[in-house]
Amino acid sequence: MGRAPTRDTRQAGERLVTATTVGRQGSTRRYFHAMWLLSSRDLRVKYATTWLGYIWAVLDPLLMCAIYWFLFTVVFERHGGVEPYAMFLISGLLPWQWFTTAVSDSTSAFTRDKKLVRSTGASNTIWVGRVVLSSAVSYALTFPILAAALLLFQMPIGPGIVWFPVAFLLQAVLCVGLGLVLAPLCILISDLARVTKLVIRVLFFCSPILFDLSHLPEWLQWVDRVNPMYGILTMYRLGYWPELWNTGSIVASFAISFGILALGIIVFPVLVRPVLKDL
């Protein structure tokens, strides 16, 4: 006999079932209401059960920023080509943390709450959507840190700031698309989750987080055309450094992100059927 559902699982299931009474069957309102309930539950578990709570959302990227700043500017006496370098690091590490969390958690989207997946009649895409939404909210909670850094370094904000929400939405599109592909595949291919983590590490050094495009050797200039996060991170920074504009990388980010989303929408219904049988 299997284990009885835990109290938290039962309560989450009850809230999710209750959410299905909001709006008509299959309505967008019902779908997003249920997804928000799941995401808010994830956030409460993440922050309410620790002593430092919200501080954990910003501690990791700030610590990494301090480490990279020390290594590049103090130890190696170099920087990423953009000043102030600490601001450059912060503006890249914060959204990168969202990307890393969303993609990594998507690999276990179906296994983290197996009983909920089996016992509720919610759309299967909701398990991916809740991961992306909760990680996006965590990123939004770091905006005060970004604002404080802008004040600290006295960074002027130009009209390029209009690209910030565009980058936010495009990153959400990319994360949802990747989640729709990876969530079922990681159940069918057990090693794929580990491979995904390795790919994320490689992408980190192929993204403009520690350096800008001008610091890449000539034979690697194509990286910004195949890495969608390159153009997305560029758009996040255009309000402070308009000279970073790169048409090729931005266009490529739109094409790749929406292409991955389209692929996810197509393959997800096919892949999810055998997955549900194995849960």
Side-chain angles (χ1 to χ4, degrees):
M1 295 179 61
R3 289 189 307 170
T6 64
R7 180 181 177 184
D8 289 342
T9 302
R10 288 197 302 270
Q11 290 177 343
E14 291 169 359
R15 286 194 294 268
L16 188 56
V17 170
T18 302
T20 60
T21 64
V22 178
R24 59 182 177 79
Q25 178 69 30
S27 67
T28 303
R29 181 186 176 189
R30 172 184 289 190
Y31 177 85
F32 282 104
H33 181 71
M35 186 167 63
W36 172 248
L37 285 176
L38 287 168
S39 300
S40 60
R41 167 183 171 251
D42 291 341
L43 291 171
R44 283 196 299 271
V45 170
K46 182 178 181 180
Y47 296 126
T49 58
T50 62
W51 289 354
L52 296 179
Y54 164 72
I55 296 178
W56 287 116
V58 298
L59 187 60
D60 182 65
L62 287 180
L63 179 60
M64 293 306 298
C65 175
I67 293 172
Y68 287 126
W69 176 86
F70 180 80
L71 286 176
F72 279 86
T73 62
V74 179
V75 178
F76 299 113
E77 297 183 350
R78 301 182 66 179
H79 57 81
V82 180
E83 293 292 346
Y85 183 53
M87 180 66 203
F88 185 78
L89 288 172
I90 291 173
S91 62
L93 286 170
L94 292 179
W96 181 260
Q97 185 183 42
W98 170 21
F99 175 76
T100 301
T101 302
V103 176
S104 298
D105 288 353
S106 291
T107 62
S108 59
F110 286 113
T111 57
R112 61 193 302 180
D113 281 317
K114 289 183 181 180
K115 293 182 176 64
L116 273 180
V117 175
R118 290 196 299 257
S119 62
T120 60
S123 170
N124 292 316
T125 59
I126 203 170
W127 310 110
V128 174
R130 61 91 74 94
V131 168
V132 177
L133 180 58
S134 59
S135 57
V137 172
S138 293
Y139 171 48
L141 291 174
T142 67
F143 287 173
I145 304 300
L146 182 63
L150 290 171
L151 292 174
L152 177 64
F153 296 110
Q154 299 180 347
M155 295 290 295
I157 299 178
I161 197 66
V162 299
W163 287 99
F164 192 99
V166 176
F168 187 93
L169 293 175
L170 187 60
Q171 185 170 343
V173 167
L174 175 63
C175 290
V176 170
L178 288 172
L180 290 176
V181 175
L182 291 173
L185 275 180
C186 285
I187 302 296
L188 301 174
I189 307 173
S190 57
D191 291 332
L192 186 57
R194 293 185 176 90
V195 173
T196 300
K197 292 180 180 179
L198 292 176
V199 173
I200 290 175
R201 291 179 186 176
V202 174
L203 283 177
F204 176 82
F205 293 101
C206 295
S207 301
I209 300 173
L210 305 180
F211 52 84
D212 65 348
L213 181 64
S214 64
H215 283 64
L216 285 176
E218 202 170 305
W219 60 277
L220 277 177
Q221 293 291 320
W222 51 269
V223 167
D224 66 317
R225 304 299 199 278
V226 297
N227 177 9
M229 283 302 294
Y230 204 110
I232 290 172
L233 291 174
T234 297
M235 286 189 287
Y236 276 123
R237 290 166 165 153
L238 289 177
Y240 332 124
W241 298 288
E243 67 274 12
L244 294 180
W245 174 270
N246 186 302
T247 302
S249 64
I250 292 174
V251 171
S253 292
F254 275 94
I256 295 174
S257 298
F258 279 98
I260 291 176
L261 178 63
L263 176 64
I265 292 173
I266 293 171
V267 303
F268 184 81
V270 178
L271 296 174
V272 80
R273 294 192 192 103
V275 166
L276 295 178
K277 295 178 181 178
D278 294 336
L279 289 178

